[in-house]
Amino acid sequence: MTPARRATAPDAAAGARLDDVLAAVPFACAAYARDDGRLLAANTAFRTEFGRLDGHDRRDGLLAALHGSGVDIDPGSEVRAPHNDRWYALYWREAATQPPALLLTAVDISERIEILDSHKSRQDKLLFTSRLMSVGEMAATLAHELNQPLAAIVNYLNGSLRLVGQAGGPVQVERALLAARTQAEHASAVIARVREFVRAREPRRDAQDVAVIVQTVVELLRLEAERQQLRIDIALDPGMPAAYADRVMVEQVLLNLVKNAIEAMREVPAARRALRVEGRVDLDGAVELRVLDRGKGLSAAESEQLFSPFFTTKSDGLGIGLAICRSIIEYHEGRLFFEPRQDGGSVFGFTLPPAEGRP
Ligand SMILES: Nc1ncnc2c1ncn2[C@@H]1O[C@H](COP(=O)(O)OP(=O)(O)OP(=O)(O)O)[C@@H](O)[C@H]1O
Ligand SMILES: [Mg+2]
């Protein structure tokens, strides 16, 4: 950069002066010739951050690499650079240098974008939770509104059945009334379950010992299990971490899964009935509970519909057990899953985030 060199090569001299100016800019900065778009000068930050980007030594090459086209773009724009996967805000300004140049300043805004993204996913989550809540509220209102008329329908049907009974027929009418009553009772039962689920209570999550949850649920179902000559084994890995969960909600999930497992073994010979509740930490560090049965398992078609509301293969089923489980586990940022059990039967399980590091 001697004065002599500047005198002999005007472009190089201009480049050298631009170099001095650009060196003072605290961001990646480069100057491109306005006429043919060649790179005139660049500071160290630009060379470090964009030196590996193909085509960076020509303005159209740079535009093509960053915007996917060589066309001119806004004087200010935000792009993700393909070579280092970082976000930049680009500012183009004309400079009355010799030769005339277009100055580019590229400010790394990756951190800001990351914060925006995580804010957005938090917002999405909030939205999901509030949607879950408003569905709950709606269900509560519906359940409330439908409960009275349904109770009245059942009463009228009972009255009519009595009258038909006293009059001694006709038998077809009696049968139709009985069928209507069964349907009305079924509807009432759906509503009772929904009300149980949405019983106006805000979920409250804190550190929960899953061993206690498992004990509570198994205790609740002990009688039902004994009636079916069925033992429930519990096998939790030692040192299971606490889960970040609403205790009542998770108990409800586990209760539904164990009930399903018991029901799945109704037709299985007593000697083969075996129900196990296992607990472990999964590969991602989440707390995982699994319920294993020796029922007949599920066909591929069945397992596809499994979690849809009102899907049931039981004559006395409502088909909302697993749908409720799923919304509870999604609310907990966990995963509800099904897989066939080796040597027959099913495995239903779910994950919960560990409590560690949560407020
Ligand atoms: N452990 C299991 N083994 C085999 N099939 C199962 C098992 N758990 C669930 N299923 C199947 O999934 C269906 C839906 O289960 P879900 O718990 O949602 O409803 P349900 O048990 O039929 O009725 P309810 O609303 O009373 O729980 C069941 O009807 C059954 O076909
Ligand atoms: Mg069920």
Side-chain angles (χ1 to χ4, degrees):
M1 321 267 148
T2 60
R5 248 188 79 202
R6 274 187 201 162
T8 53
D11 248 22
R17 271 197 304 281
L18 268 171
D19 271 335
D20 292 342
V21 175
L22 298 189
V25 179
F27 306 108
C29 198
Y32 292 89
R34 203 160 59 206
D35 53 5
D36 61 3
R38 69 192 185 283
L39 183 66
L40 294 173
N43 65 5
T44 314
F46 185 89
R47 294 203 188 279
T48 315
E49 291 177 59
F50 292 90
R52 283 193 302 111
L53 179 67
D54 284 341
H56 76 283
D57 52 353
R58 302 198 58 81
R59 183 161 181 272
D60 51 1
L62 183 91
L63 290 178
L66 292 179
H67 295 276
S69 76
V71 296
D72 251 330
I73 34 89
D74 295 342
S77 55
E78 296 180 350
V79 294
R80 175 188 237 133
H83 66 298
N84 62 4
D85 223 23
R86 298 195 66 83
W87 280 90
Y88 290 95
L90 305 181
Y91 304 95
W92 290 96
R93 293 283 179 277
E94 299 209 359
T97 45
Q98 206 35 258
L102 288 164
L103 282 186
L104 167 67
T105 314
V107 181
D108 189 330
I109 52 164
S110 308
E111 248 166 63
R112 200 188 84 205
I113 298 273
E114 249 161 51
I115 290 169
L116 278 177
D117 279 355
S118 77
H119 181 72
K120 186 171 176 304
S121 70
R122 249 201 315 273
Q123 258 188 340
D124 286 349
K125 226 169 261 159
L126 275 178
L127 200 68
F128 172 77
T129 314
S130 70
R131 211 180 309 137
L132 188 69
M133 295 302 153
S134 55
V135 169
E137 278 159 26
M138 199 177 73
T141 313
L142 263 181
H144 184 79
E145 293 291 325
L146 291 179
N147 222 26
Q148 293 300 332
L150 272 172
I153 289 173
V154 172
N155 275 338
Y156 282 125
L157 288 170
N158 281 335
S160 308
L161 272 166
R162 247 190 331 268
L163 290 176
V164 173
Q166 281 163 7
V171 69
Q172 291 95 327
V173 175
E174 190 176 5
R175 237 184 262 144
L177 289 173
L178 277 171
R181 189 177 66 184
T182 307
Q183 294 298 326
E185 281 169 350
H186 180 85
S188 291
V190 172
I191 284 168
R193 283 282 293 282
V194 171
R195 292 185 85 171
E196 201 179 296
F197 171 56
V198 296
R199 213 172 1 196
R201 84 178 260 291
E202 281 282 306
R204 228 193 51 233
R205 292 205 282 169
D206 43 30
Q208 293 295 334
D209 183 348
V210 286
V212 173
I213 293 180
V214 173
Q215 275 303 338
T216 309
V217 169
V218 169
E219 204 49 54
L220 271 173
L221 291 172
R222 185 169 304 283
L223 256 185
E224 197 161 338
E226 270 169 17
R227 217 176 294 138
Q228 282 208 39
Q229 301 162 291
L230 172 68
R231 254 202 30 232
I232 303 181
D233 288 324
I234 302 177
L236 305 183
D237 280 356
M240 293 265 293
Y244 186 60
D246 179 288
R247 187 173 57 83
V248 178
M249 285 184 137
V250 175
E251 280 171 5
Q252 208 175 347
V253 172
L254 192 62
L255 190 87
N256 275 325
L257 298 186
V258 175
K259 262 181 128 163
N260 278 348
I262 294 176
E263 288 161 4
M265 290 188 284
R266 271 186 214 159
E267 325 262 88
V268 172
R272 190 174 151 74
R273 288 178 203 153
L275 207 166
R276 242 172 108 77
V277 180
E278 290 181 354
R280 65 179 188 197
V281 176
D282 80 358
L283 291 175
D284 300 322
V287 178
E288 184 183 291
L289 288 178
R290 301 151 68 86
V291 178
L292 299 85
D293 66 54
R294 284 279 179 228
K296 65 175 168 21
L298 284 141
S299 71
E302 282 169 350
S303 62
E304 259 172 38
Q305 298 186 61
L306 206 49
F307 301 111
S308 324
F310 307 115
F311 169 73
T312 182
T313 55
K314 299 169 194 169
S315 55
D316 56 349
L318 304 176
I320 54 177
L322 288 175
I324 289 175
C325 290
R326 187 160 72 169
S327 51
I328 293 179
I329 294 303
E330 277 178 2
Y331 166 73
H332 279 82
E333 305 151 66
R335 195 167 51 85
L336 180 69
F337 59 88
F338 154 77
E339 56 198 48
R341 185 180 183 183
Q342 223 174 3
D343 303 323
S346 330
V347 182
F348 279 84
F350 59 91
T351 60
L352 294 169
E356 207 187 333
R358 300 282 186 149

